Amino acid sequence: MKRPTRPPGNRRHALLPVVALLAVTSVSGAAPGSAASGSPGVAAVVRAVPPRSARVGALFNGDLEGGHFCTASVVRSGGRNLILTAAHCLSGDGDTDVVFAPGYRDGRAPYGLWRVTKTFVPGAWSDRADEDSDFAFAVVAKSGGRELQDVVGANVFVSGRATGVSDVVVTGYPNVLDAAISCTNRPTVHSRTQQRIECPDFTDGTSGSPWVDGAGEVVGVLGGFEQGGSTDDVSYSAVLGSAAAALYREAARFGGSS
């Protein structure tokens, strides 16, 4: 499936009715092993996300009128202006028509629109759409004289974490909904370079969703194998290793000097 006016996007099936909106949860996630958390062999729970959960947002073309096409999240950096998403959500040639709406809900951007000024996409993705490099960063401009991280906070980007050490919360924006959904479960190994998680109803638009552990650390980003998965109920992320760490450092350096 292709997203309108954007590069090839999340190949997820059309949204099934969301019937498990049972409760609310924070973007930063439940503590590993808590009662709200999933565990291997236990069905994941999809939850509605409260409006205050603003570290995750939707990506739009230009403004809110065209509909959102991917998900992104704020990650901590010295410049306080960095977001993380999937590489297949960005073209890598500037993407200055893209805006980020943190905490987007019901057609509104309660924390404003933040315009992307620079994107950082791995060369392996740009050259050959390498599924192990399906992660990207973007720097956003100030809004109202303030940096994004100062307005909504940020999660911590980490690399080198072993898959399945703890439960994670995956939060994303299906492109047929005007609100985010969230799922708590424990990732499992798909391959040496890919991890997977069982989360129902993560469809088109959820590419770029962060996988956040109980410490507020981003340990995955929805994408990778089959650009995030060919079914609604299983999602993937590239294992975030040295290449992701190097790209983060490059983006953070640029953002700090912008």
Side-chain angles (χ1 to χ4, degrees):
M1 180 180 298
K2 293 186 178 181
R3 289 177 277 108
T5 72
R6 302 293 309 159
N10 192 345
R11 300 173 180 172
R12 315 308 296 272
H13 291 171
L15 183 70
L16 298 174
V18 180
V19 296
L21 298 181
L22 302 179
V24 296
T25 187
S26 167
V27 167
S28 61
S34 68
S37 299
S39 58
V42 176
V45 175
V46 175
R47 304 178 186 272
V49 177
R52 66 179 181 276
S53 299
R55 295 177 183 181
V56 180
L59 293 176
F60 292 80
N61 285 313
D63 54 38
L64 301 184
E65 296 301 318
H68 49 93
F69 60 87
C70 270
T71 300
S73 65
V74 187
V75 290
R76 191 175 301 172
S77 68
R80 309 185 308 284
N81 54 7
L82 200 61
I83 61 175
L84 168 69
T85 188
H88 72 262
C89 292
L90 301 175
S91 68
D93 60 1
D95 284 297
T96 53
D97 60 325
V98 173
V99 294
F100 175 62
Y104 172 75
R105 191 178 183 92
D106 298 331
R108 298 184 177 87
Y111 302 94
L113 293 177
W114 302 77
R115 185 163 301 279
V116 168
T117 59
K118 176 69 173 176
T119 58
F120 295 83
V121 177
W125 177 265
S126 300
D127 292 344
R128 57 184 185 277
D130 174 26
E131 66 183 19
D132 297 334
S133 301
D134 196 3
F135 45 81
F137 297 92
V139 173
V140 299
K142 288 183 178 180
S143 179
R146 302 179 71 186
E147 299 288 4
L148 173 61
Q149 184 176 319
D150 295 333
V151 175
V152 301
N155 291 315
V156 178
F157 177 80
V158 297
S159 59
R161 290 286 192 271
T163 299
V165 170
S166 66
D167 297 345
V168 300
V169 176
V170 185
T171 305
Y173 282 83
N175 61 10
V176 295
L177 294 180
D178 271 340
I181 61 172
S182 184
C183 166
T184 303
N185 208 348
R186 185 162 297 193
T188 59
V189 172
H190 176 68
S191 69
R192 182 179 60 84
T193 55
Q194 294 284 323
Q195 49 190 331
R196 70 193 295 274
I197 193 166
E198 295 185 13
C199 279
D201 300 315
F202 272 68
T203 63
D204 284 352
T206 59
S207 287
S209 300
W211 299 18
V212 184
D213 68 14
E217 299 171 328
V218 181
V219 297
V221 57
L222 201 154
F225 180 66
E226 295 180 330
Q227 294 189 8
S230 60
T231 69
D232 300 343
D233 297 335
V234 178
S235 298
Y236 297 86
S237 168
V239 173
L240 302 177
S242 59
L247 190 68
Y248 167 76
R249 290 193 296 268
E250 179 186 359
R253 281 195 301 269
F254 180 91
S257 62
S258 63

